[in-house]
């Protein structure tokens, strides 16, 4: 991959005030605060870092200022193609960078030393689990303080400042404490190449340090592409073709690692050529077009789409592309999965049944070449068509009856288009959103591996910032919303137009179905009033509280019509026990897995 951008050398060297109308990242309340604007021709580490971020596709950086990163923020501001988005706290900034990376392919956040770093680290761990390249930049102490035995603020009171670094070593693929441009370049390119977060620390006295290595336009990135070993690829394809071509009713299953392997297109080529029935794992939803003629739904064990599990588990051979088998995706380890019937395709490795495994084989190459050697076989899909019975619509009641969750999602289904993206929060929204049928081009995101409640609020901010022309529709439970609610104010400040459905059922419903107790009941908020307080008559925001289908219908009509340029927040009040049947089944199975007695050995 090779990308480059041109940079202007014009502009004032120092500006003490700005007209907020001229700069979209400044609000009117900021105008009274002077700050430095670095001339773009200045040579500095901070400006080099800014230019590299722009080169890899980052135009928005999510920040929380602190005394150790302020000078760095000045230098990032001096890059005209980079916008700083101030967040309410570091955790949300990390979640926003996660959401941005899902839309753009890479995201970035800037926080201060230790108090900021240890706050954002939960979001970085989530990005690591989901294979997202997030560049986490931390403003560090003055370089002269290292090794002096001094105790600094924002630390845990020890003269050793390495606690933050040691924590980040567990959840990033590269850590850079050096300020040379070579190591900054290495960190950023490693994030892009490995599709994992990286940690970059910039001492507060070095961000503006001039140095000859920063005195000219940086050499454009040239990240070496990866290639399959041709012999290993050929052997893997031949063995897999022999394995599948003798099958009577083989199927394909798409997993979440299709994204990190950049193999979505190759998987579609394979699906078209093979004629096999195609399903997706729950965390792979959105990576394969659901309008495809041979798509049969989500394979999620006992809570799969209707008739999907029966076809997958009765297959005599199946190919899983980029799967993740954890306790959640396997419904408490209850999948009827047999390794001897499976080809498991990882991003750079292929395993076939109980037999050979082939390394140095890229998933996209393997799937593409395999498509040329498979005999077309539609048996599994033909069986699916024979047994399939369409799901019924929710029972129709009086539109003035209390709102039910299945009615809510039947209306959300009608809102989906090629210009929308669904973001689903951890909880019952997982199961209800899985049942939505995505039209061609409709995006879908959720955080299944890490499952951190509150993730979606920051992720909506980041995703919508990366894709301003696309309308994000978020489904968030009340318990999760309370964790990160304040970032709605940043969405309003950025002029975003997402639609947030806040599902208010008075507690942590997903936890109730795993193990109930009084701790799963939360203090109720007046959620629309909270968002109106964030709005404070600044920006475009509209809220509505709905209790019936009739009120929901009216609210959606306004959100898609008169209020389509506003951030729309619709609080849906539903019964505490109104859950999907899939959550009831999943919760009991996960509970059983969690409560297994200790192994006596």
């Amino acid at each position: 991959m090779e990308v480059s951008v041109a940079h202007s050398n014009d502009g004032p060297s120092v500006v003490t005030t700005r007209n907020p109308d001229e700069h979209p990242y400044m609000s009117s309340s900021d105008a009274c605060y002077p700050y430095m604007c670095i001339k773009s021709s200045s040579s500095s580490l901070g400006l080099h870092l800014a230019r590299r971020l722009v080169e890899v596709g980052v135009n928005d950086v999510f920040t929380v200022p602190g005394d150790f990163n302020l000078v760095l923020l000045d230098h990032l501001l001096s890059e005209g193609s980079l916008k700083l988005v101030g967040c309410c706290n570091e955790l949300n900034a990390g979640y926003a960078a996660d959401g941005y990376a899902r839309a753009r392919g890479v995201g970035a956040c800037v926080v201060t030393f230790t108090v900021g770093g240890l706050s954002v680290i939960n979001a970085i761990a989530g990005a690591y689990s989901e294979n997202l390249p997030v560049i986490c930049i931390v403003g560090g102490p003055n370089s002269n303080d290292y090794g002096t035995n001094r105790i600094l603020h924002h630390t845990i009171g020890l003269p050793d400042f390495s606690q933050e670094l040691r924590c980040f070593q567990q959840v990033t693929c590269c850590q850079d404490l050096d300020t040379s441009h070579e190591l900054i370049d290495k960190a950023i390119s490693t994030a892009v190449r490995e599709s994992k977060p990286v940690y970059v620390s910039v001492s507060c006295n070095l961000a503006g340090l001039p140095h000859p290595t920063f005195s000219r336009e940086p050499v454009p990135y040239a990240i070496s592409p990866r290639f399959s070993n041709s012999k290993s690829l050929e052997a893997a394809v031949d063995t897999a073709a022999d394995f599948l071509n003798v099958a009577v009713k083989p199927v394909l299953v798409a997993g979440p690692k299709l994204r990190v392997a950049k193999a979505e297109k190759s998987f579609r080529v394979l699906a078209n050529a093979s004629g096999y029935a195609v399903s997706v794992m729950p965390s792979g939803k959105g990576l394969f077009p659901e309008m495809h003629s041979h798509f049969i739904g989500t394979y999620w064990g006992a809570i799969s789409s209707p008739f999907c599990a029966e076809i997958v588990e009765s297959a005599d051979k199946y190919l899983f592309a980029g799967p993740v088998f954890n306790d959640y995706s396997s419904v408490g380890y209850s999948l009827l999965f047999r390794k001897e019937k499976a080809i498991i395709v990882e991003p750079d490795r292929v395993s076939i049944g109980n037999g050979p495994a082939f390394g140095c084989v890229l998933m996209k190459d393997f799937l593409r070449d395999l498509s040329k050697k498979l005999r077309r076989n539609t048996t599994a899909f033909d069986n699916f068509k024979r047994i399939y019975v369409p799901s019924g619509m929710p029972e129709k009641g009086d539109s003035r009856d209390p709102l039910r969750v299945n009615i809510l999602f039947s209306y959300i289904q009608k809102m989906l288009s090629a210009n929308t993206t669904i973001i689903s929060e951890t909880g019952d929204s997982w199961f209800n959103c899985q049942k939505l049928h995505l039209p061609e081009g409709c995006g879908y995101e959720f955080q299944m591996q890490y499952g951190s409640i509150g993730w979606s609020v920051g992720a909506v901010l980041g995703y919508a910032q990366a894709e301003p022309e696309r309308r994000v529709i978020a489904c968030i439970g009340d318990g999760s919303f309370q964790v990160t609610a304040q970032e709605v104010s940043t969405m309003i400040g950025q002029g975003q137009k997402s639609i947030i459905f806040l599902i208010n059922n008075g507690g942590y419903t997903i936890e109730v179905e795993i193990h109930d107790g009084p701790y799963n009941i939360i203090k109720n908020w007046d959620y629309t009033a909270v968002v109106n307080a964030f709005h404070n008559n600044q920006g475009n925001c509209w809220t509505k509280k709905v209790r019936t289908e009739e009120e929901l219908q009216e609210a959606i009509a306004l959100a898609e019509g008169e209020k389509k340029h506003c951030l729309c927040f619709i609080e849906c009040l539903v019964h505490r026990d109104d859950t999907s049947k899939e959550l009831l089944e999943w919760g009991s199975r996960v509970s059983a897995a969690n409560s297994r007695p200790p192994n006596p050995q």
Side-chain angles (χ1 to χ4, degrees):
M1 179 179 71
E2 182 168 333
V3 289
S4 62
V5 292
H7 303 279
S8 170
N9 289 324
D10 300 325
S13 56
V14 177
V15 175
T16 56
T17 60
R18 276 185 176 172
N19 181 348
D21 294 332
E22 297 176 359
H23 298 279
Y25 48 76
M26 258 186 98
S27 67
S28 56
S29 60
D30 294 325
C32 59
Y33 294 100
Y35 61 91
M36 295 293 291
C37 179
I38 312 301
K39 188 175 180 181
S40 62
S41 60
S42 301
S43 58
S44 70
L45 180 150
L47 188 54
H48 176 81
L49 178 56
R51 287 169 172 168
R52 285 311 200 199
L53 291 175
V54 171
E55 274 195 281
V56 296
V58 175
N59 295 107
D60 303 86
V61 178
F62 302 92
T63 67
V64 177
D67 60 332
F68 286 136
N69 70 17
L70 298 177
V71 174
L72 174 61
L73 296 180
D74 283 339
H75 285 264
L76 297 181
L77 276 173
S78 67
E79 169 52 62
S81 300
L82 203 60
K83 178 179 180 180
L84 302 189
V85 179
C87 295
C88 298
N89 62 48
E90 292 88 357
L91 176 62
N92 290 343
Y95 286 152
D98 172 311
Y100 195 92
R102 290 168 184 266
R104 283 283 186 93
V106 61
C109 57
V110 180
V111 300
T112 196
F113 185 62
T114 305
V115 289
L118 297 187
S119 178
V120 78
I121 198 168
N122 184 53
I124 300 304
Y128 189 95
S129 75
E130 299 280 326
N131 298 299
L132 296 170
V134 172
I135 300 160
C136 182
I137 304 162
V138 175
N142 188 292
S143 60
N144 296 305
D145 288 326
Y146 285 93
T148 61
N149 214 35
R150 291 173 177 165
I151 295 176
L152 291 183
H153 68 288
H154 287 344
T155 68
I156 61 172
L158 298 176
D160 175 10
F161 307 152
S162 65
Q163 298 87 16
E164 179 183 84
L165 170 63
R166 294 202 302 273
C167 291
F168 273 96
Q169 284 173 336
Q170 305 304 311
V171 294
T172 57
C173 67
C174 180
Q175 305 81 38
D176 173 29
L177 287 178
D178 199 312
T179 49
S180 67
H181 75 274
E182 291 93 346
L183 288 182
I184 286 178
D185 287 359
K186 176 189 173 186
I188 294 175
S189 58
T190 300
V192 174
R193 186 175 61 251
E194 301 296 329
S195 199
K196 292 283 189 183
V198 295
Y199 167 82
V200 176
S201 179
V202 179
S203 292
C204 60
N205 62 325
L206 299 182
L209 191 70
H211 192 273
T213 58
F214 303 124
S215 64
R216 59 188 180 274
E217 295 294 331
V219 175
Y221 262 133
I223 300 174
S224 300
R226 286 179 167 175
F227 297 100
S228 297
N229 179 290
S230 59
K231 295 294 185 183
S232 187
L233 173 62
E234 182 180 358
V237 169
D238 287 344
T239 306
D242 291 343
F243 185 82
L244 292 171
N245 282 334
V246 298
V248 176
K249 44 185 179 177
V251 299
L252 300 176
V253 183
K257 292 183 182 178
L258 274 180
R259 189 209 305 258
V260 65
K262 297 179 174 57
E264 296 167 58
K265 183 177 179 181
S266 295
F267 187 81
R268 287 197 295 271
V269 169
L270 178 62
N272 292 336
S274 67
Y276 295 179
V278 185
S279 67
V280 296
M281 299 186 76
S283 48
K285 187 177 176 70
L287 299 179
F288 182 80
E290 298 187 5
M291 297 295 108
H292 191 277
S293 59
H294 282 206
F295 180 71
I296 63 171
T298 298
Y299 174 56
W300 201 354
I303 58 171
S304 298
S305 301
F307 307 100
C308 179
E310 290 82 353
I311 294 299
V312 172
E313 292 178 347
S314 66
D316 53 342
K317 297 285 191 296
Y318 28 60
L319 183 149
F320 282 78
V324 172
F325 297 107
N326 61 23
D327 52 338
Y328 277 12
S329 67
S330 66
V331 197
Y333 310 112
S334 64
L335 297 184
L336 299 180
F337 172 83
R338 294 172 59 187
K339 183 181 176 184
E340 65 269 19
K341 297 198 302 183
I343 295 178
I344 304 296
V345 189
E346 297 291 342
D348 56 5
R349 184 179 178 84
V350 177
S351 301
I352 300 176
N354 288 325
F358 302 88
C360 300
V361 175
L362 297 185
M363 184 191 295
K364 61 182 180 181
D365 296 338
F366 172 79
L367 298 178
R368 181 198 63 225
D369 289 3
L370 181 62
S371 68
K372 302 170 185 176
K373 295 209 169 187
L374 289 185
R375 287 197 290 270
R376 190 168 178 83
N377 186 335
T378 63
T379 304
F381 182 69
D382 294 338
N383 288 345
F384 174 77
K385 286 193 297 182
R386 274 189 284 271
I387 67 172
Y388 180 73
V389 178
S391 299
M393 294 297 292
E395 182 180 345
K396 199 72 175 167
D398 191 307
S399 63
R400 291 165 294 183
D401 288 346
L403 182 64
R404 304 197 313 270
V405 171
N406 56 10
I407 294 293
L408 166 62
F409 278 89
S410 71
Y411 277 91
I412 292 175
Q413 176 67 68
K414 298 171 187 175
M415 300 171 69
L416 303 184
S417 72
N419 298 314
T420 58
T421 291
I422 283 281
I423 291 185
S424 173
E425 176 59 80
T426 301
D428 198 23
S429 291
W430 272 6
F431 306 94
N432 287 302
C433 287
Q434 280 291 330
K435 292 184 281 187
L436 295 172
H437 297 288
L438 305 182
E440 188 73 33
C442 181
Y444 184 88
E445 299 291 347
F446 78 133
Q447 191 194 54
M448 186 171 193
Q449 174 59 41
Y450 201 57
S452 182
I453 65 169
W455 158 85
S456 66
V457 181
V460 168
L461 167 65
Y463 197 103
Q465 195 69 21
E467 295 278 3
E469 301 306 314
R470 182 177 282 270
R471 198 158 199 197
V472 176
I473 299 172
C475 301
I476 307 175
D478 50 346
S480 295
F481 185 75
Q482 288 193 8
V483 178
T484 50
Q486 62 270 54
E487 223 54 57
V488 172
S489 68
T490 309
M491 299 179 201
I492 299 169
Q494 295 299 315
Q496 295 182 359
K497 57 182 182 181
S498 301
I499 301 174
I500 297 175
F501 287 97
L502 188 284
I503 303 167
N504 183 353
N505 55 14
Y508 296 121
T509 302
I510 191 170
E511 314 295 4
V512 167
E513 302 308 332
I514 296 174
H515 183 94
D516 201 3
Y519 32 76
N520 290 326
I521 301 172
I522 62 175
K523 172 70 176 67
N524 194 30
W525 291 1
D526 186 342
Y527 292 96
T528 53
V530 169
V531 174
N532 286 333
F534 293 154
H535 179 206
N536 196 27
N537 296 317
Q538 297 175 341
N540 294 319
C541 177
W542 173 76
T543 65
K544 181 68 175 176
K545 198 185 298 280
V546 301
R547 296 177 174 84
T548 67
E549 179 182 355
E550 185 176 66
E551 292 175 349
L552 175 67
Q553 210 169 2
E554 293 169 357
I556 290 174
L558 274 171
E560 294 189 312
E562 182 183 334
K563 304 297 182 182
K564 65 181 179 181
H565 298 299
C566 296
L567 181 83
C568 296
F569 183 90
I570 302 173
E571 179 184 353
C572 304
L573 287 93
V574 299
H575 193 277
R576 181 175 186 264
D577 295 325
D578 186 359
T579 66
S580 64
K581 71 178 184 66
E582 291 81 8
L583 174 57
L584 298 176
E585 175 74 24
W586 180 89
S588 63
R589 289 175 181 262
V590 170
S591 175
N594 288 351
S595 58
R596 288 169 294 163
N599 188 326
Q601 296 177 347

